[in-house]
Amino acid sequence: MIILVTGAAGPAGQAVVRRFTDKGHTVVGVDKSGADGTLAVDLLDFDAVKRLARDVEAEHGHLDGIAHLVGGWRGAKTFAETDLADWDLLHDLLIRTLQHVTLAFEPLLKASGRGRFAIVSAKAAEHPTQGGAAYGTAKAASEAWTLAFADALAGTGATANILVVKALVNEAMRVASPERKFPGFTDVDDLAAAIEGLWDTDANGTRIDLTHG
């Protein structure tokens, strides 16, 4: 399969790239930083994202899936202390990049027959805290956009789904804080397994809870 991973240089992206590469699939890793051998693409540049879609089609002929793993977090102690500059940042990271990727790659996913698209959302979208108003709202908006994308894919054999976590944890975090238990957190390797598992189901437009504990 040909899999596109956005945010591929982050811990979650690395885990997904590793899982699909180890299974013999071809992974196109994209990250704004260009780190770790990823393609340096600014997903806020819609023309650049559309060029990426054309390049993937030209080189590979098709695309079997996208794991959109661009993330970020900003918060405040109280609702009144919310900085709307945080909203601007989260809007770009969590919503605008998603819009550009889905709009640019919709034709390839529709044509793939069994294409799979996934984002990672958070419990904060369902139960936002006062200090996480900007983050929870951005996550809720990204879910709504993904569900609309799922509706666009209905009947094509391709799907779009939402993987819900409390937060993600990786081995480096455990090593850095050995005393922490990370209750309810989802390991990035478990996230990668869940993304791979999307090819075992025809579910479309669903929220899959990966919260532990």
Side-chain angles (χ1 to χ4, degrees):
M1 295 194 298
I2 310 298
I3 307 297
L4 177 72
V5 179
T6 59
Q14 291 175 351
V16 174
V17 169
R18 183 169 58 248
R19 186 172 189 91
F20 281 94
T21 300
D22 288 349
K23 296 294 182 70
H25 303 300
T26 297
V27 177
V28 180
V30 171
D31 197 277
K32 184 179 180 179
S33 68
D36 298 321
T38 60
L39 296 176
V41 179
D42 183 0
L43 299 181
L44 292 176
D45 183 341
F46 194 23
D47 288 335
V49 179
K50 288 186 285 189
R51 283 196 300 272
L52 175 64
R54 291 194 296 269
D55 290 346
V56 168
E57 183 174 22
E59 181 173 353
H60 302 288
H62 69 284
L63 181 66
D64 298 291
I66 301 174
H68 184 65
L69 303 176
V70 177
W73 185 87
R74 289 291 187 279
K77 290 184 178 180
T78 66
F79 184 81
E81 292 175 282
T82 297
D83 185 346
L84 290 180
D86 290 344
W87 166 256
D88 294 337
L89 174 70
L90 292 170
H91 171 271
D92 283 349
L93 286 175
L94 303 182
I95 304 170
R96 186 65 76 196
T97 64
L98 170 64
Q99 292 172 329
H100 287 170
V101 169
T102 50
L103 289 169
F105 282 91
E106 180 197 27
L108 274 176
L109 281 180
K110 278 186 171 181
S112 65
R114 278 184 56 78
R116 295 292 182 264
F117 179 87
I119 66 163
V120 178
S121 189
K123 285 290 190 179
E126 304 169 63
H127 304 291
T129 61
Q130 60 171 313
Y135 178 74
T137 301
K139 280 295 189 183
S142 69
E143 288 196 17
W145 186 272
T146 300
L147 294 176
F149 187 42
D151 186 53
L153 296 175
T156 69
T159 66
N161 291 287
I162 300 159
L163 304 177
V164 181
V165 302
K166 174 183 177 181
L168 294 171
V169 63
N170 59 71
E171 192 58 30
M173 292 169 62
R174 293 192 179 95
V175 170
S177 302
E179 74 287 353
R180 289 191 63 186
K181 299 300 183 183
F182 300 101
F185 283 43
T186 301
D187 191 280
V188 292
D189 288 330
D190 292 335
L191 171 67
I195 291 173
E196 183 186 26
L198 292 174
W199 276 268
D200 296 327
T201 176
D202 292 324
N204 183 35
T206 62
R207 300 176 77 256
I208 302 167
D209 195 336
L210 301 182
T211 302
H212 294 292

